[in-house]
Amino acid sequence: FVVAWAFTCAASAAFSRSNVISAVMLTTKSRWWCQYTAVEQWLLQEGREQDDELVIVSEDPLAVDAMPQHPQVRFIACTETLLYAKWNIGFAVASNEWLTFWADDDWHGPRRLAELRANADADIVGPAAMYYHELEEGGRSFRYVYGGDEPHVIDGLTMFHRPLWEKYPIEPMIKSAAGWWLLNCARAGASLRVIPQGDYVSFIHSGNLTARKPRVSRHGEVLSDSYMT
């Protein structure tokens, strides 16, 4: 069951120009502390196109009351709780030809979308390096560089072509659905454009998957506090 609201009117279901982006943000009732900021950061993106949009997917219908109201922000209430299903719902209702993930609990710098838009010449576009910062115990910061042998980009920062998702919807996985999906798309022959490190910091806290990802400790370079300020 899915219910959709637009804060003014819903965008057309037809694809927009090739350089416009639909960002999809999954959230839940427990993320009340970061939802508003995540939407604000999308609204502050430099060079935001008139037809860009942010699609918010949540199983909490009351979450819409906590969001900044804007004609380019849409809210989708659904009964799904699994990440892969919520991603697929968000991408299915998105209006544009380019799609990207938008985390509700991370820091999105103002040039994040512009950096992706400027490199829209492959099925998948994104960096292979990023920053992490601990919000709780330790307060350390890391620079992570993908250390695998296969070509890959980091899921939270990635933009991809809508026809790719239509051909390969995100598979049923409970955790890390986006990362595994991108890797499987690349293995299936999707073209990949690796760009420099993006304008983004992933926050590590007790309520997200990052706190349990071994990749930070295995491939992360610990940074000084002054580096991140």
mmCIF file of all heavy atoms in Angstrom, residues 223-229:
data_model
loop_
_atom_site.group_PDB
_atom_site.id
_atom_site.type_symbol
_atom_site.label_atom_id
_atom_site.label_comp_id
_atom_site.label_asym_id
_atom_site.label_seq_id
_atom_site.Cartn_x
_atom_site.Cartn_y
_atom_site.Cartn_z
ATOM 1 N N LEU A 223 41.704 10.465 10.356
ATOM 2 C CA LEU A 223 42.067 11.853 10.115
ATOM 3 C C LEU A 223 42.054 12.638 11.412
ATOM 4 O O LEU A 223 41.359 12.282 12.362
ATOM 5 C CB LEU A 223 41.077 12.486 9.140
ATOM 6 C CG LEU A 223 40.911 11.782 7.793
ATOM 7 C CD1 LEU A 223 39.754 12.412 7.018
ATOM 8 C CD2 LEU A 223 42.185 11.843 6.978
ATOM 9 N N SER A 224 42.823 13.708 11.447
ATOM 10 C CA SER A 224 42.844 14.568 12.626
ATOM 11 C C SER A 224 41.582 15.425 12.651
ATOM 12 O O SER A 224 40.931 15.637 11.626
ATOM 13 C CB SER A 224 44.072 15.482 12.591
ATOM 14 O OG SER A 224 43.987 16.377 11.503
ATOM 15 N N ASP A 225 41.228 15.941 13.830
ATOM 16 C CA ASP A 225 40.046 16.783 13.948
ATOM 17 C C ASP A 225 40.159 18.024 13.070
ATOM 18 O O ASP A 225 39.184 18.466 12.477
ATOM 19 C CB ASP A 225 39.841 17.219 15.401
ATOM 20 C CG ASP A 225 39.404 16.052 16.269
ATOM 21 O OD1 ASP A 225 38.909 15.069 15.726
ATOM 22 O OD2 ASP A 225 39.572 16.142 17.499
ATOM 23 N N SER A 226 41.346 18.595 12.956
ATOM 24 C CA SER A 226 41.528 19.814 12.188
ATOM 25 C C SER A 226 41.289 19.582 10.697
ATOM 26 O O SER A 226 40.880 20.476 9.970
ATOM 27 C CB SER A 226 42.943 20.370 12.401
ATOM 28 O OG SER A 226 43.913 19.424 11.976
ATOM 29 N N TYR A 227 41.504 18.354 10.239
ATOM 30 C CA TYR A 227 41.310 18.048 8.826
ATOM 31 C C TYR A 227 39.846 18.152 8.437
ATOM 32 O O TYR A 227 39.502 18.555 7.338
ATOM 33 C CB TYR A 227 41.832 16.638 8.517
ATOM 34 C CG TYR A 227 41.897 16.293 7.053
ATOM 35 C CD1 TYR A 227 43.039 16.571 6.306
ATOM 36 C CD2 TYR A 227 40.808 15.708 6.412
ATOM 37 C CE1 TYR A 227 43.091 16.268 4.949
ATOM 38 C CE2 TYR A 227 40.855 15.412 5.059
ATOM 39 C CZ TYR A 227 42.006 15.683 4.336
ATOM 40 O OH TYR A 227 42.053 15.398 3.003
ATOM 41 N N MET A 228 38.958 17.777 9.378
ATOM 42 C CA MET A 228 37.544 17.713 9.069
ATOM 43 C C MET A 228 36.802 19.012 9.363
ATOM 44 O O MET A 228 35.633 19.136 9.040
ATOM 45 C CB MET A 228 36.885 16.564 9.856
ATOM 46 C CG MET A 228 37.346 15.189 9.426
ATOM 47 S SD MET A 228 36.900 14.808 7.717
ATOM 48 C CE MET A 228 35.130 14.632 7.867
ATOM 49 N N THR A 229 37.427 19.974 9.983
ATOM 50 C CA THR A 229 36.725 21.209 10.330
ATOM 51 C C THR A 229 36.901 22.265 9.247
ATOM 52 O O THR A 229 37.738 22.159 8.400
ATOM 53 C CB THR A 229 37.245 21.759 11.665
ATOM 54 O OG1 THR A 229 38.665 21.943 11.565
ATOM 55 C CG2 THR A 229 36.924 20.817 12.794
#
